[in-house]
Amino acid sequence: MTAYAPARTAPPYAVVVPTLGRPSLSRCLAALAASSGPKPVRVVLVDDRPRAGAAPLPVEVPASLRGVTVTVPGGGRGPAAARNTGRREAGGVAHWIVFLDDDVLPGPEWGEELARDLAAASERTGGISARITVPLPGDRRPTDWERGTAGLATARWITADMAYRPEVLDAVGGFDERFRRAFREDADLALRVLDAGWSLDEGLRRTTHPVRPADRWVSVRQQAGNADDVLMNRLHGSGWWSRASAPRGRLPRHLLVTGAAAGAVSCAVIGRRRAAVACATGWLAGTAEFAGARIAPGPRTRQEVLSMAVTSVLIPPVATWHWLRGQLRHRGALPWRPRPEAAAARAPRTPLRERVPR
């Protein structure tokens, strides 16, 4: 682990928070205001509700931040576009832009720790990530949704709390607005920054990401991310998984299980009963294995078991649908190639590996 000395002078920084007006936004700003250390020179709240402006953003801004906080409409185009809107609004007033999600809680010493992170950055540092903590129940096993959220604690470069130099964002074109969900847009940006010759450091500031409430269908809705993975493959090649330390997931198995289900129905329609039974058996075995893998590490309550059983039937075909949708939608996407001018004058001209503190 790298030990940073206290920062004598903190570079001015702005905070950009895309939001849908959830109650967690007020808690996020309260934690930001309460943290020790230098305060942001500007806080930009990007109201990304589809009808932003029709009603005031439901948020309570702490008194210490009111003078520097502005709210701008995002247009309901997703977090990547909202962050681009926010960085343009914050441009020219700060040496760094810190992106926060509206459901995180900066730690009590966050401002001071951020100042140390920024002061320790070298001239080749393009971005600095935070250390994310996801609190889990101590009296029972976590649910499937809670385990999924806990993965944010080990995810790299996530914009739950990620600082970038504005000139780096400008050099690589900011966030790719084809990513309409809060998924993969942060990894895509980080890989482009690395390819442009900058480094990405792991900071010491600490931020908590609570597990927000979710219904039983959240895991089904998350399968839309398979279309984003198609775009990542187009932009960065199949090697992006290892570069970003991203888990590969179960898409190949979902495709097989869905194919078995389709085969069972097709064979039954044309009267090939043995083939239909064989395909149906394969579908049942694959679905049972998937459900068991999700149920075993969880609390195994009646509600959780029922949710896992039902959603394990739905997830494979939904994942397949979104993967096919991504193949069609992003069929014309070209591989990312950094422009010669994307490498800033003070950045090295060859790609670097990100620096990870020991």
Side-chain angles (χ1 to χ4, degrees), residues 62-236:
S64 62
L65 296 179
R66 287 174 192 164
V68 298
T69 299
V70 296
T71 301
V72 297
R77 296 178 295 138
R83 293 189 185 103
N84 284 338
T85 298
R87 74 180 176 88
R88 287 190 290 268
E89 181 68 25
V93 301
H95 294 174
W96 290 85
I97 297 178
V98 183
F99 296 100
L100 295 178
D101 284 350
D102 70 354
D103 56 352
V104 302
L105 297 173
E109 299 177 351
W110 185 89
E112 185 176 345
E113 293 166 345
L114 173 66
R116 293 171 182 166
D117 287 346
L118 302 184
S122 70
E123 290 188 347
R124 66 180 60 186
T125 301
I128 307 174
S129 62
R131 301 191 175 206
I132 304 297
T133 299
V134 179
L136 295 176
D139 58 345
R140 60 168 173 79
R141 294 180 177 183
T143 64
D144 180 71
W145 169 240
E146 291 167 340
R147 293 194 306 273
T149 304
L152 297 175
T154 55
R156 311 182 77 180
W157 317 311
I158 61 172
T159 42
D161 184 343
M162 185 74 190
Y164 278 106
R165 296 185 191 270
E167 61 267 33
V168 172
L169 297 172
D170 293 339
V172 300
F175 289 88
D176 189 329
E177 299 183 8
R178 287 174 292 184
F179 293 95
R180 297 294 298 270
R181 304 172 63 255
F183 190 68
R184 303 303 191 206
E185 84 289 354
D186 42 16
D188 165 69
L189 174 61
L191 292 177
R192 287 187 282 119
V193 168
L194 291 170
D195 287 342
W198 298 86
S199 67
L200 295 174
D201 298 347
E202 182 181 348
L204 296 179
R205 67 189 184 281
R206 292 160 292 178
T207 297
T208 298
H209 194 304
V211 179
R212 67 175 182 268
D215 59 40
R216 69 169 48 176
W217 310 112
V218 64
S219 58
V220 178
R221 293 193 297 272
Q222 285 184 312
Q223 300 312 308
N226 286 285
D228 298 321
D229 286 344
V230 172
L231 179 56
M232 287 292 288
N233 284 335
R234 298 273 194 237
L235 296 174
H236 303 288

Side-chain angles (χ1 to χ4, degrees), residues 260-298:
V265 173
S266 299
C267 290
V269 168
I270 63 176
R272 300 185 62 179
R273 302 180 67 178
R274 289 186 178 180
V277 170
C279 289
T281 301
W283 169 82
L284 181 61
T287 302
E289 183 276 330
F290 181 38
R294 301 171 70 205
I295 292 170

Side-chain angles (χ1 to χ4, degrees), residues 184 226 229 233 237-242 245-252:
R184 303 303 191 206
N226 286 285
D229 286 344
N233 284 335
S238 59
W240 76 266
W241 297 92
S242 59
S245 299
R248 292 299 297 263
R250 298 179 63 104
L251 179 63

